[in-house]
Amino acid sequence: MSAPTHTRPHPATPGGVGTRLPWWALALPTLAFVTLLALILHPSDAHAATGDPAIAHLVERVRDLLSR
């Protein structure tokens, strides 16, 4: 006994899809790329954030454990 097959009701249209991106979908990644590129080219401009020393100690311990 064979199973019935279903055919597509309409063939796919050869035209393109009319989807448009919002302006920020291109602007934000471009801004992030330019900012990171500027930090790579001029690393002296990047300043470390002052944070809780306990977090720094925790990160240092984790790094030491992973390097073993």
Side-chain angles (χ1 to χ4, degrees):
M1 185 167 139
S2 63
T5 59
H6 298 286
T7 59
R8 296 178 78 176
H10 300 287
T13 58
V17 178
T19 304
R20 293 185 57 185
L21 291 174
W23 66 269
W24 51 265
L26 294 175
L28 291 179
T30 304
L31 179 65
F33 176 77
V34 169
T35 303
L36 291 174
L37 185 63
L39 287 175
I40 291 172
L41 294 177
H42 302 287
S44 63
D45 294 339
H47 302 288
T50 58
D52 188 15
I55 294 175
H57 291 291
L58 176 66
V59 170
E60 187 175 335
R61 297 261 182 166
V62 169
R63 186 181 59 185
D64 290 340
L65 289 173
L66 292 176
S67 66
R68 289 185 186 181

